[in-house]
Amino acid sequence: MSRQVFLYDPPDRFVAGTVGLPGRRTFFLQASSAGRSTSVALEKAQVAALAERIDELLDEVVRRTGGSAPVPAVAPAEVADTAPLDTPVEEEFRVGTMALAWDGEKQCMVVEAQALVELDAESEEELAEAEERLIQDDQNGPPILRVRISGSMARAFAKRALEVVNAGRPPCPLCSLPLDPEGHVCPRQNGYRRET
């Protein structure tokens, strides 16, 4: 079976968002264009890492081009997207690996999110070889979301993604652990935290 590629070049919209209440949120990347939409699930840490890496890559592009690349220093207000995810949110796949690149010819960022795949390997070396084959297999690899966005849209994506990550449960002022709506046993107020 050939690889399923969800390509948006460029999308009308590319955002990170969540479904669910704080503490039980599911994180998504969602690309949409011309009446179609693709949503892929991922972990909160993956969203944070993606946003940070996008900003770092854009800063590097600006540095290497001496400021001639069409990349703003901060997210322009006119491309900010604060709307919720398009509904219905239907998960195409759960993200395993992600990749970023700057296309110097088209002057845009390429974001790829590949489906999580269980690899059966006996050793670290076999696992590394299997991962490399998977990445290189354009014909039969796992499903992938590939999005090409402008520097402005990439900055706006990164800004929103970090806001979404930080919009979860507020931290306890004493112990910094997340506060649950159902209650919080604070280790600093005669409670204790068991390490598992």
Side-chain angles (χ1 to χ4, degrees):
M1 185 169 131
S2 65
R3 168 180 259 181
Q4 188 174 16
V5 178
F6 301 93
L7 178 63
Y8 291 84
D9 186 11
D12 294 335
R13 184 172 192 229
F14 180 56
V15 295
T18 62
V19 173
L21 297 172
R24 294 181 180 84
R25 298 183 296 169
T26 301
F27 288 79
F28 290 94
L29 297 180
Q30 188 178 73
S32 54
S33 180
R36 73 182 179 110
S37 180
T38 303
S39 302
V40 296
L42 66 170
E43 298 297 323
K44 178 180 181 178
Q46 288 175 299
V47 175
L50 179 62
E52 291 166 4
R53 297 297 181 260
I54 284 175
D55 272 337
E56 289 171 5
L57 180 57
L58 292 174
D59 291 344
E60 183 66 16
V61 168
V62 169
R63 188 186 69 74
R64 287 189 181 193
T65 62
S68 66
V71 177
V74 295
E78 62 271 10
V79 294
D81 185 343
T82 58
L85 295 174
D86 296 333
T87 56
V89 179
E90 296 176 1
E91 178 182 324
E92 293 294 337
F93 59 83
R94 179 155 289 278
V95 175
T97 59
M98 295 182 289
L100 291 175
W102 179 259
D103 184 335
E105 189 175 305
K106 292 186 176 183
Q107 295 292 293
C108 68
M109 176 164 284
V110 181
V111 180
E112 291 185 350
Q114 184 173 280
L116 181 65
V117 176
E118 298 293 326
L119 296 176
D120 199 19
E122 297 290 322
S123 68
E124 290 289 326
E125 187 176 300
E126 286 179 13
L127 183 60
E129 288 173 11
E131 287 174 343
E132 186 62 30
R133 279 194 310 274
L134 201 57
I135 290 169
Q136 301 302 324
D137 189 357
D138 284 339
Q139 297 298 318
N140 302 310
I144 190 168
L145 170 65
R146 183 174 294 137
V147 180
R148 292 177 177 272
I149 52 178
S150 67
S152 296
M153 196 173 193
R155 284 282 191 211
F157 171 89
K159 182 176 188 274
R160 175 186 166 130
L162 288 175
E163 288 169 356
V164 166
V165 166
N166 294 325
R169 297 173 289 170
C172 171
L174 298 174
C175 69
S176 299
L177 293 173
L179 293 172
D180 286 321
E182 295 85 32
H184 171 68
V185 178
C186 181
R188 303 239 1 236
Q189 288 200 335
N190 213 14
Y192 63 95
R193 179 178 172 89
R194 290 185 190 166
E195 298 298 324
T196 55

